[in-house]
Amino acid sequence: MFSFDHQITRTLHDEHLATISVLERLEGVFRKYGPKKTPAPDNDDITALLGDIINLVECDVKNHFTFEEGKLFPLLSAMGDMPISQILTGEHNVILPLGNLLSEMAKTARADGFSDAAWTAFRQSGVELIERMISHIQKEEMALLPMLEDIVEEDEDAELMMAYSEMR
Amino acid sequence: MMSTNFLSGANSRLLPPSIPFRFFMAAMIFYLLFWAALLYNADDITSYMMGSGPMLGTIHMATLGVLTMTVIGASLQLLSVATRRAFKAFWICRLLSWIYIPGFMLLAYGMFSGWYMGMLAGACITGTGLLIFFGLIIHNIRGVQGMAAIMQHCWAAMLSLLALVALGIMLIFDMEHGFMGDHLAVVISHFILAVFGFMSLLAMGFSYILVPMFALAPAPPEKIGRLSIACNVLAIIIMLVGVNMYLPWVTLAGAVLAMGGVGLYLLGMTGVYRARMRKRLGVPFLLIRIGWFMLFLTVLWGGAGLLNLWPDTGHSLFAVLAIIGWLLTFLTGILQRIIPFLSSMHTSGSGGIPMLASSMADERYLLVNATGHLGGLFLVALGVALDKTVIIQGGAALGLIGAGALLLYMVTVVRHMIANQPEESIG
């Protein structure tokens, strides 16, 4: 796998792995259940997946984005690399509301199951979230994390890790 | 690791979309024309060895029309991001397209119709375009620190390009004036330099950036890339010596070294693929993986030829495996992935919500393309092996359908991209 030396880059990378894993499970469900094949409310796998989606958005995505915008992008800006921060922040602004919407739909579905209309809406938002999030992680893995490996010093790494742990 | 922060600051180093996309669009049109020409000339493929005529035009439709055209568009865009040196003189990139594309059209027509002056003029104009490309790339990669293996692939590919252009023009001149002692040996040298020296080395070099990026995987160790390029360059030189000095065992030694170089490349790519974070990579990676397998088959089949194990149609099958099986399949897979990626990058940061690649065009076009291309490859290879024209025609027809689907996909994506761009970034 990727070999990151800093704690903070390893942590962010592990969160990317966890996110991709949930999104691939979601993608698998969308493949199994087409737009016109609403899953039954007593499907345990889907209920568990909905819980993971809620958890992913509430914990990982929100904290991850807030930390990046608050602590990491200023570091990049300070060294003069604004474009990547701007691209990633722009994508956060689209992904987070989409994630929140999906999380809300997942909460409703966990309580009441999916109606045909709710499943269609959930599937539509989910497909969009998968595509946007994968493309976003791609940019972070290929640009943000390697840059952080280059610029973050050891003591700074410990401080960033501490700040992120407190936030989580 | 070979490619680290490849995308860093990428938006500030993206070329205006019209530059790479004009080459991609031209490549897609010639991809369609290639299969149409193969359908038309299906009965010539197994008997063709050298000389002007429709088959020569058909082969160059694939090599110069599709593969080189794609490589030019991709190199201009990728290198400016990878080396962190943006191409600033966009007019030279545009001039390159204005010279290379019409020059190639004249060359292809000249080859197809056996019109000597058309071929010679077309080759000189196309060659001028390729020299401009050579200058642009060398200017960009000279003195780059880091990414040694990738840069070595670029240097070797560019030097092969110079040699293949010179040999290509000389071969056309020889058709009329007959000054060469052994025309066939020069044809084989031109083929080795073009297919393995220029296009394969660039395809392999860019793999070290693109495959990890699209698969979300770590780049292979630098040592594998360096060893692979060293083996491949040495193999090409030894094979050229063997072919031109009539020393079959030297050529075979070169082929064995090429197997080592290709094996190392495939080992590196297999490692990347296995370590990918994203498990479902879709249709483009099916094509890429089949392309890798065909590269492996190509070198094996080439070795069999040098051991005199080929049937009568063995040389044609070798060309089919190398050009359609390895290069066209691999580059079609890369294009399927790079077109939506680049187009979505061009809609990012424009103030609005970035467009989804999947919303720009129906992705089922890509499935039709892959099915048509792979079906076409299988039937053409089978038809050549059995020397059955009707099977080759069936394959070419399938390939034509697949190429049409990719062209439609491309047109739809470009239309969406233009409609969602501020005017100043279209130029």
Side-chain angles (χ1 to χ4, degrees):
Chain A
M1 293 306 294
F2 289 82
S3 54
F4 292 116
D5 294 329
H6 293 321
Q7 294 180 71
I8 192 64
T9 43
R10 275 204 304 270
T11 305
L12 294 174
H13 170 72
D14 289 345
E15 288 187 357
H16 288 160
L17 277 177
T19 304
I20 288 175
S21 163
V22 173
L23 293 179
E24 290 212 325
R25 279 169 57 210
L26 183 61
E27 199 173 40
V29 167
F30 290 154
R31 274 171 198 270
K32 192 171 172 187
Y33 298 92
K36 291 174 184 168
K37 194 177 170 190
T38 307
D42 56 352
N43 187 317
D44 291 341
D45 290 343
I46 291 182
T47 307
L49 176 61
L50 293 176
D52 290 341
I53 290 168
I54 296 162
N55 194 44
L56 177 80
V57 175
E58 297 297 328
C59 303
D60 289 349
V61 177
K62 277 181 187 166
N63 290 336
H64 190 107
F65 285 8
T66 308
F67 178 70
E68 286 175 348
E69 289 173 23
K71 300 283 183 189
L72 302 182
F73 295 166
L75 282 178
L76 300 185
S77 302
M79 61 166 279
D81 207 318
M82 287 292 286
I84 191 70
S85 310
Q86 284 169 351
I87 293 171
L88 296 176
T89 306
E91 292 187 354
H92 288 177
N93 293 338
V94 179
I95 292 170
L96 195 54
L98 192 59
N100 285 332
L101 176 65
L102 202 71
S103 174
E104 288 308 314
M105 288 195 271
K107 284 175 192 165
T108 309
R110 263 168 78 91
D112 308 326
F114 283 113
S115 65
D116 289 346
W119 171 246
T120 305
F122 180 78
R123 203 175 179 283
Q124 205 171 355
S125 299
V127 167
E128 184 175 346
L129 182 73
I130 292 167
E131 190 173 339
R132 289 195 186 282
M133 188 64 105
I134 295 284
S135 164
H136 182 71
I137 291 175
Q138 200 167 47
K139 293 186 183 88
E140 292 203 349
E141 288 283 334
M142 298 301 292
L144 178 67
L145 301 191
M147 286 175 83
L148 289 172
E149 281 281 298
D150 287 344
I151 63 169
V152 171
E153 301 293 338
E154 219 167 283
D155 50 347
E156 210 172 6
D157 180 38
E159 283 171 29
L160 286 169
M161 198 57 228
M162 179 91 73
Y164 195 34
S165 303
E166 282 168 10
M167 185 181 278
R168 290 191 297 169
Chain B
M1 294 289 176
M2 284 197 209
S3 63
T4 50
N5 42 352
F6 169 67
L7 281 171
S8 156
N11 248 27
S12 58
R13 286 188 293 275
L14 284 180
L15 295 176
S18 76
I19 292 176
F21 276 91
R22 74 182 61 193
F23 290 105
F24 294 155
M25 184 65 88
M28 290 304 91
I29 292 167
F30 291 126
Y31 179 46
L32 189 79
L33 289 175
F34 161 71
W35 286 109
L38 195 60
L39 182 61
Y40 178 74
N41 299 309
D43 50 352
D44 286 344
I45 187 170
T46 52
S47 58
Y48 180 79
M49 181 66 83
M50 60 180 176
S52 67
M55 208 56 227
L56 184 68
T58 305
I59 292 168
H60 284 82
M61 193 70 77
T63 54
L64 287 175
V66 187
L67 299 169
T68 307
M69 201 76 76
T70 305
V71 156
I72 293 174
S75 306
L76 292 177
Q77 182 55 84
L78 283 176
L79 280 177
S80 61
V81 178
T83 62
R84 303 181 174 218
R85 291 174 174 180
F87 288 104
K88 294 204 167 62
F90 296 149
W91 68 271
I92 301 181
C93 302
R94 293 192 183 101
L95 179 69
L96 164 59
S97 69
W98 297 331
I99 292 174
Y100 181 75
I101 297 171
F104 166 69
M105 288 162 72
L106 178 60
L107 174 65
Y109 179 72
M111 286 175 162
F112 210 85
S113 60
W115 174 33
Y116 170 69
M117 282 313 291
M119 262 193 289
L120 190 61
C124 290
I125 300 169
T126 307
T128 306
L130 290 172
L131 287 179
I132 295 172
F133 174 61
F134 173 86
L136 279 168
I137 299 302
I138 293 298
H139 179 71
N140 189 275
I141 64 176
R142 201 171 44 197
V144 166
Q145 301 295 316
M147 298 191 297
I150 297 165
M151 291 301 113
Q152 285 159 7
H153 279 82
C154 290
W155 275 103
M158 288 300 118
L159 293 176
S160 299
L161 175 65
L162 272 192
L164 82 89
V165 168
L167 289 186
I169 293 173
M170 281 163 62
L171 280 167
I172 292 173
F173 206 66
D174 189 60
M175 284 177 191
E176 188 75 3
H177 301 286
F179 66 90
M180 286 178 180
D182 187 348
H183 189 91
L184 181 59
V186 183
V187 167
I188 295 171
S189 303
H190 176 73
F191 183 90
I192 291 172
L193 285 165
V195 172
F196 297 103
F198 173 53
M199 285 171 282
S200 292
L201 291 187
L202 269 190
M204 289 185 200
F206 288 148
S207 297
Y208 293 118
I209 299 175
L210 289 174
V211 173
M213 182 174 83
F214 290 136
L216 271 170
E222 180 83 26
K223 201 163 65 177
I224 286 187
R226 283 185 181 213
L227 268 175
S228 167
I229 183 67
C231 287
N232 284 328
V233 167
L234 207 56
I236 289 166
I237 294 169
I238 291 173
M239 284 193 287
L240 290 175
V241 170
V243 165
N244 287 284
M245 298 189 75
Y246 309 106
L247 299 168
W249 285 102
V250 173
T251 315
L252 186 62
V256 170
L257 205 55
M259 285 177 200
V262 165
L264 283 165
Y265 163 74
L266 292 175
L267 181 74
M269 288 299 111
T270 309
V272 170
Y273 188 77
R274 283 202 181 128
R276 70 196 188 278
M277 290 163 69
R278 176 85 162 124
K279 298 299 170 201
R280 290 196 186 95
L281 291 170
V283 176
F285 265 82
L286 174 70
L287 288 168
I288 289 169
R289 286 163 62 202
I290 290 176
W292 288 334
F293 178 67
M294 298 311 289
L295 171 62
F296 176 69
L297 271 190
T298 302
V299 289
L300 280 188
W301 189 244
L306 290 168
L307 292 170
N308 293 318
L309 297 174
W310 277 357
D312 289 346
T313 58
H315 66 288
S316 303
L317 187 57
F318 180 67
V320 168
L321 292 176
I323 296 173
I324 308 179
W326 150 230
L327 287 167
L328 271 180
T329 307
F330 178 79
L331 283 182
T332 304
I334 291 288
L335 265 182
Q336 282 203 3
R337 201 61 192 77
I338 214 170
I339 290 169
F341 177 75
L342 258 189
S343 53
S344 72
M345 286 290 277
H346 279 293
T347 60
S348 293
S350 57
I353 295 173
M355 278 196 81
L356 283 174
S358 63
S359 67
M360 290 191 194
D362 191 334
E363 289 180 337
R364 282 176 298 186
Y365 284 132
L366 301 181
L367 188 60
V368 175
N369 168 245
T371 309
H373 180 91
L374 295 175
L377 165 65
F378 175 73
L379 287 183
V380 169
L382 183 69
V384 167
L386 301 175
D387 201 2
K388 295 281 183 200
T389 302
V390 67
I391 301 178
I392 300 170
Q393 285 171 327
L398 272 181
L400 187 67
I401 294 167
L406 191 58
L407 181 61
L408 272 175
Y409 177 81
M410 176 88 179
V411 169
T412 317
V413 165
V414 169
R415 281 181 57 205
H416 272 85
M417 192 172 65
I418 290 170
N420 289 281
Q421 278 291 294
E423 254 177 42
E424 62 272 17
S425 65
I426 294 294

